[in-house]
Amino acid sequence: MNYLDELNDPQRDAVVNTNGPVIIIAGAGSGKTRVLTYRIAYLIKNGTDPFNILALTFTNKAAKEMRERIYHVAGAEARNLWMGTFHSIFARILRIEADKIGYPINFTIYDTDDAKSLIKSIVNEMKLNDKVYKPALISSRISAAKNAMLTAADYAADSDNISYDESSGRPKFAEIFAAYEARCFRAGAMDFDDLLIKTYHLLNTHPEVTNKYQHMFRYILVDEFQDTNGVQYAIVKKLANVHQNITVVGDDAQSIYAFRGATIKNILNFHKDFPDTRVYRLEQNYRSTQTIVNAANSVIKQNKEQLDKKVWTQNEVGDRIKVFRALTDNEEGKVVASSIFQEKMNSHCFNHEFVILYRTNAQSRSIEEALRKINIPYKIYGGLSFYQRKEIKDLIAYFRVTINPTDEEALKRIINYPARGIGKTTFDHLAVLANEHNKSWWDIMNDAHQYGIKAAASLADFVMMIKSFQAMLDRNAYDVAMHIAKQSTILKTLYEDKTVEGIARYENLEELLNGLKEFSIDEPIDDDGVVRVRTLSEYMQDIALLTDADREDESDYDKVSLMTIHASKGLEFKYVYIVGLEENLFPSQLSLNSRSELEEERRLFYVALTRAMKKLHLSFATSRFKFGTMIHSEPSRFLQEIDPQFLIMEGMYNNRGSENRSFGARGNSGQTKIISSSTPTKSNINLPKNFKPINKAAPSSVDPDFVGDDTSLLQAGNMVTHQRFGNGTVLSIEGAGDNRKAQIDFGEAGKKMLVLKFAKLKIN
């Protein structure tokens, strides 16, 4: 069958009309990836040289999947596409043109940890307070400046910036920024932001380079365009200036990365930069039920700042969306876990078909505890990455120094690991000498005897070892890596550690080397048909630019997924649970300062809703702990914005015991009023046999009018009543003032230690 026959009419139009500026507005689940890949395949099949096509994505995983699809349609020519993430493509250009801006072609790419480590060193050398100049904060501020296309000199020249730093108690920020910029340059290193900003400056200052790539890239395609920031769009716009054949694909309703510098203005104002833009709308959703699609539409229509579209579907109507109110976050976790247990039993489905989404990572705790108690396996996205583990970073640091010996952060990490008699005194001496002579640590180490360094002999041995590694760099990646792992004695050191942790670290290194072996076997063939060796340098560039979405562990396959909503973008699951739908949590309290911030939160909720294919569950708690204090919560305004015809309430009981079936209008106070209707009914969520309820004797809801007595004279032996735990006996009192606590036996609810400042108790 012809691949074009697989497309609906709007999709086909978006594929075959290839010339000029085009914006494809792709609603959730509308098949945008298929349209983008088929558009590229169509270009190739109609005579466009793949070397003249630039396709930009946000994850290597997405680029790989698209390339495979294009290969299936257009054949082996697909391997010649310039396709990848913004960072990987710009890194590729920079490696070709590095000499134009004074960098070595083998420059190192610093990750977030490297950047923070360098900043910490600079702060210490400047004798500044690292509690005021926190590395994470300084790193974030430098990143923001770069994304605003500012160099350190540009930043320092702006009096508003300097005034801001002085008023915030960090007047030395501009100096730290300048030192960071200089040290990265000296080390032949770029951080992730540099890959964008250096490309931008390269194109701005070298017209011959700009002209070269403008004529090379006859067709430019950008996926997830709503997620681009100012620098990314500025580069793309400049590259497209000659041929004007630029296609951007995205959905303004899924623009959720403003905190990373993304701006929705890029997609909303695209037609202003390219007046001849043709617009194609992909509005048919192939993913979700009609109920889910219509519910999501009812939410997103509340946003004022958006492009015109109406997402629809021909899928089945599907079940109504279940909304559950829990008394606490712990109860919420139990309800979600039991619902998954029941769904698995009733529908005979797999763990990997479920996802639990939350606004912040901290919310996972109660969910994890509940899943563990009934033995439901789960995995958390956004945890410690494989490549962030210490033993992995140690060996990779050896690779980095072998490729680029001026890489100061990598040198610091391995110069005395495993131990070789190079201690802190030598570290400090090297740092002082490097700064005094404006040379790299490597340059100083090469002449250690000349500089009178006490550990000169040990440094000379280290330098000789690294040079022996460098002599092998033209061999395949696995052979070089294995040699380094052995000769550096890292493998031996970890092998000799027979603790559980030591064995795990050794196995992690083994897994890294296994990955290198697989990488080395997959040898590319050049245009002349010659098999080319895959080098360690290529491998390092690949892993330096991995994103969280690119890291998968097949052993985690059949597990329930837990992740933030931001991490879920681009994914889909049959069964979706969105938890913590409470005011000041979702929407976040930080997003309530302006309409634009609130609208981004609403887009985030829209993204969460549209991850669901078959069934969707929403939940909120009426109370949860925050920094050790129990706070009472109001239901999220987003719940009210869903058309009630698409909802079914579970466990929604008011003070009279009647079950609530819908959300009412918001009052002048902004609080959601819950309208009660119908007669008392029980939630139809059944708990598995081994699942213990939070308190068998607990009342069905928290009474907001419950007022506690003065507990300043409370003593052991007193009888008390708690609004959730019922009647109890005070066993003991300890502490004083705000820290005064009581241990109370509540019978079936168990023994509880309560902080009396916060506990509401009636003394009987």
Side-chain angles (χ1 to χ4, degrees):
M1 183 175 73
N2 188 319
Y3 66 100
L4 294 177
D5 295 337
E6 300 175 20
L7 306 173
N8 62 34
D9 289 343
Q11 289 174 334
R12 183 186 176 95
D13 289 343
V15 165
V16 302
N17 293 294
T18 56
N19 291 327
V22 167
I23 182 169
I24 301 174
I25 303 171
S30 62
K32 73 171 179 63
T33 302
R34 172 175 288 187
V35 168
L36 190 58
T37 53
Y38 282 8
R39 186 177 174 89
I40 295 170
Y42 185 84
L43 284 169
I44 295 173
K45 288 179 74 69
N46 283 272
T48 302
D49 190 330
F51 283 105
N52 297 139
I53 300 173
L54 170 63
L56 296 165
T57 67
F58 274 85
T59 68
N60 291 300
K61 180 182 177 183
K64 182 180 179 182
E65 289 176 355
M66 287 171 59
R67 192 186 298 275
E68 287 172 354
R69 289 198 198 186
I70 297 166
Y71 181 91
H72 181 71
V73 175
E77 280 290 293
R79 71 170 181 258
N80 297 325
L81 287 165
W82 278 70
M83 174 180 280
T85 64
F86 283 88
H87 290 89
S88 66
I89 292 295
F90 295 163
R92 184 176 170 185
I93 291 173
L94 287 169
R95 292 213 186 274
I96 295 170
E97 313 293 346
D99 62 305
K100 309 275 192 319
I101 54 174
Y103 275 84
I105 61 171
N106 60 342
F107 62 82
T108 298
I109 299 173
Y110 276 178
D111 65 14
T112 305
D113 286 345
D114 295 321
K116 290 178 184 175
S117 175
L118 176 54
I119 289 167
K120 185 176 181 179
S121 296
I122 292 169
V123 168
N124 289 339
E125 289 166 16
M126 293 175 67
K127 294 181 171 52
L128 298 172
N129 186 345
D130 60 6
K131 298 294 188 293
V132 175
Y133 294 93
K134 297 178 180 177
L137 177 65
I138 300 302
S139 177
S140 176
R141 190 126 171 81
I142 289 174
S143 178
K146 289 182 177 181
N147 279 300
M149 294 181 274
L150 299 176
T151 64
D154 296 331
Y155 184 94
D158 189 321
S159 58
D160 289 341
N161 290 331
I162 303 305
S163 296
Y164 173 85
D165 292 334
E166 288 175 350
S167 64
S168 62
R170 288 180 287 271
K172 297 291 186 180
F173 171 79
E175 291 180 41
I176 297 171
F177 188 1
Y180 175 80
E181 194 176 74
R183 293 277 281 275
C184 283
F185 184 76
R186 190 175 82 187
M190 297 187 196
D191 61 26
F192 286 164
D193 294 315
D194 284 332
L195 297 177
L196 305 181
I197 201 73
K198 298 296 183 187
T199 302
Y200 175 76
H201 286 308
L202 171 70
L203 297 177
N204 263 10
T205 56
H206 292 80
E208 75 285 1
V209 175
T210 305
N211 185 64
K212 169 184 172 180
Y213 290 102
Q214 284 176 333
H215 285 84
M216 177 187 294
F217 299 135
R218 289 181 53 208
Y219 291 91
I220 298 174
L221 303 96
V222 184
D223 191 18
E224 303 286 9
F225 185 63
Q226 76 281 347
D227 294 336
T228 54
N229 61 27
V231 188
Q232 289 165 331
Y233 183 38
I235 295 170
V236 167
K237 188 164 61 172
K238 185 176 285 289
L239 291 175
N241 199 40
V242 171
H243 294 291
Q244 298 272 307
N245 294 324
I246 177 171
T247 300
V248 299
V249 184
D251 181 7
D252 58 294
Q254 297 185 64
S255 178
I256 60 173
Y257 291 120
F259 68 96
R260 292 183 186 169
T263 171
I264 194 173
K265 299 295 184 186
N266 288 348
I267 192 167
L268 294 179
N269 298 332
F270 181 77
H271 65 282
K272 294 180 181 178
D273 292 321
F274 298 93
D276 298 327
T277 296
R278 282 175 295 171
V279 179
Y280 298 96
R281 290 180 172 82
L282 308 182
E283 298 172 311
Q284 183 175 358
N285 179 297
Y286 291 94
R287 173 187 298 154
S288 308
T289 65
Q290 290 181 30
T291 296
I292 292 169
V293 168
N294 292 334
N297 284 344
S298 69
V299 170
I300 201 63
K301 74 178 183 181
Q302 309 295 326
N303 274 10
K304 296 183 181 299
E305 199 170 43
Q306 60 179 299
L307 298 172
D308 180 43
K309 65 177 175 301
K310 175 68 174 177
V311 180
W312 58 278
T313 185
Q314 289 182 333
N315 293 343
E316 63 179 346
V317 174
D319 293 347
R320 284 193 290 169
I321 299 166
K322 293 181 179 178
V323 182
F324 188 87
R325 178 179 71 176
L327 300 179
T328 66
D329 51 346
N330 283 335
E331 184 186 38
E332 182 182 41
K334 291 182 177 183
V335 169
V336 169
S338 63
S339 176
I340 291 174
F341 181 92
Q342 181 176 316
E343 191 69 62
K344 284 178 61 183
M345 296 302 102
N346 294 344
S347 304
H348 306 289
C349 41
F350 297 98
N351 291 315
H352 68 263
E353 295 175 312
F354 294 85
V355 68
I356 303 169
L357 303 177
Y358 34 76
R359 181 64 181 84
T360 65
N361 276 308
Q363 292 170 254
S364 74
R365 180 200 56 79
S366 58
I367 305 294
E368 290 184 69
E369 288 179 2
L371 292 172
R372 281 199 298 267
K373 283 180 181 177
I374 52 176
N375 299 319
I376 295 178
Y378 64 90
K379 60 179 176 181
I380 297 180
Y381 280 72
L384 186 63
S385 158
F386 177 79
Y387 293 97
Q388 294 301 314
R389 292 168 181 158
K390 179 186 181 301
E391 62 276 11
I392 300 300
K393 295 202 77 168
D394 289 338
L395 184 52
I396 284 176
Y398 270 98
F399 299 165
R400 284 168 49 176
V401 170
T402 300
I403 294 165
N404 173 20
T406 62
D407 183 344
E408 187 175 305
E409 292 307 305
L411 264 175
K412 288 178 186 176
R413 190 175 191 98
I414 64 170
I415 196 170
N416 196 42
Y417 178 75
R420 51 176 61 89
I422 304 173
K424 185 178 184 302
T425 302
T426 304
F427 268 52
D428 294 342
H429 199 179
L430 282 170
V432 169
L433 289 169
N435 289 335
E436 282 180 355
H437 297 276
N438 194 26
K439 289 186 175 182
S440 69
W441 280 37
W442 181 254
D443 291 334
I444 303 296
M445 289 163 62
N446 268 280
D447 295 314
H449 288 288
Q450 176 184 325
Y451 290 104
I453 300 174
K454 288 184 179 179
S458 297
L459 289 174
D461 290 342
F462 177 81
V463 168
M464 186 64 69
M465 178 179 67
I466 297 299
K467 287 182 176 179
S468 73
F469 297 161
Q470 291 176 323
M472 299 178 64
L473 278 175
D474 58 348
R475 301 186 191 179
N476 81 67
Y478 174 76
D479 290 345
V480 181
M482 180 57 83
H483 180 78
I484 292 173
K486 289 179 178 178
Q487 295 303 311
S488 66
T489 72
I490 282 184
L491 268 184
K492 180 175 181 291
T493 300
L494 291 183
Y495 181 77
E496 291 172 348
D497 183 353
K498 297 303 182 184
T499 64
V500 173
E501 295 79 8
I503 292 169
R505 287 193 287 266
Y506 181 81
E507 289 173 346
N508 285 337
L509 277 194
E510 185 178 31
E511 181 59 31
L512 177 69
L513 293 167
N514 289 341
L516 270 151
K517 184 68 173 178
E518 186 176 343
F519 174 85
S520 299
I521 290 172
D522 184 21
E523 295 175 320
I525 301 173
D526 64 21
D527 294 338
D528 298 320
V530 178
V531 176
R532 182 168 56 81
V533 171
R534 303 201 76 178
T535 65
L536 190 62
S537 298
E538 291 177 84
Y539 175 78
M540 287 301 296
Q541 177 152 325
D542 271 11
I543 65 167
L545 297 169
L546 285 175
T547 67
D548 285 342
D550 300 317
R551 300 177 178 121
E552 289 188 345
D553 183 349
E554 290 187 5
S555 67
D556 282 345
Y557 178 63
D558 194 32
K559 295 183 179 179
V560 173
S561 297
L562 277 65
M563 65 183 79
T564 64
I565 300 166
H566 281 100
S568 75
K569 189 166 171 293
L571 304 177
E572 61 184 25
F573 297 86
K574 283 187 179 179
Y575 306 96
V576 172
Y577 292 77
I578 307 172
V579 300
L581 280 161
E582 299 142 34
E583 284 293 297
N584 299 321
L585 181 56
F586 194 18
S588 165
Q589 187 173 13
L590 299 176
S591 71
L592 303 179
N593 299 317
S594 68
R595 176 175 295 280
S596 63
E597 291 173 342
L598 179 59
E599 291 202 350
E600 170 133 345
E601 284 288 290
R602 187 176 288 114
R603 292 194 295 269
L604 187 61
F605 184 47
Y606 177 81
V607 166
L609 295 173
T610 55
R611 298 312 91 201
M613 301 167 68
K614 188 174 182 179
K615 289 186 180 181
L616 180 59
H617 301 73
L618 312 176
S619 63
F620 65 94
T622 57
S623 62
R624 68 175 64 233
F625 278 103
K626 188 172 185 180
F627 295 109
T629 302
M630 176 69 78
I631 61 168
H632 295 284
S633 310
E634 293 291 334
S636 169
R637 67 189 68 194
F638 296 153
L639 287 169
Q640 179 204 345
E641 292 174 356
I642 301 175
D643 191 321
Q645 68 176 302
F646 304 122
L647 302 177
I648 181 170
M649 306 300 174
E650 292 197 340
M652 302 285 283
Y653 295 96
N654 64 20
N655 296 335
R656 296 185 302 277
S658 61
E659 189 177 13
N660 300 309
R661 288 294 179 185
S662 64
F663 289 92
R666 297 180 70 82
N668 293 333
S669 65
Q671 295 182 342
T672 301
K673 297 178 180 177
I674 301 180
I675 300 173
S676 65
S677 63
S678 79
T679 55
T681 57
K682 292 183 179 180
S683 164
N684 57 21
I685 293 182
N686 298 319
L687 296 172
K689 290 180 180 178
N690 63 334
F691 193 86
K692 296 180 180 179
I694 190 166
N695 175 17
K696 293 179 182 177
S700 60
S701 75
V702 173
D703 181 356
D705 299 322
F706 185 97
V707 177
D709 294 331
D710 179 7
T711 58
S712 60
L713 300 177
L714 190 68
Q715 299 177 15
N718 286 158
M719 302 295 293
V720 296
T721 299
H722 187 276
Q723 59 179 340
R724 285 205 297 114
F725 304 134
N727 295 327
T729 303
V730 180
L731 300 178
S732 63
I733 301 287
E734 63 182 67
D738 289 348
N739 294 319
R740 196 162 179 258
K741 302 173 186 175
Q743 185 180 39
I744 305 173
D745 185 350
F746 288 104
E748 288 192 17
K751 294 177 182 178
K752 310 288 182 184
M753 180 67 79
L754 303 180
V755 179
L756 294 177
K757 177 182 177 181
F758 304 116
K760 291 182 179 180
L761 296 172
K762 284 188 180 297
I763 303 175
N764 301 332

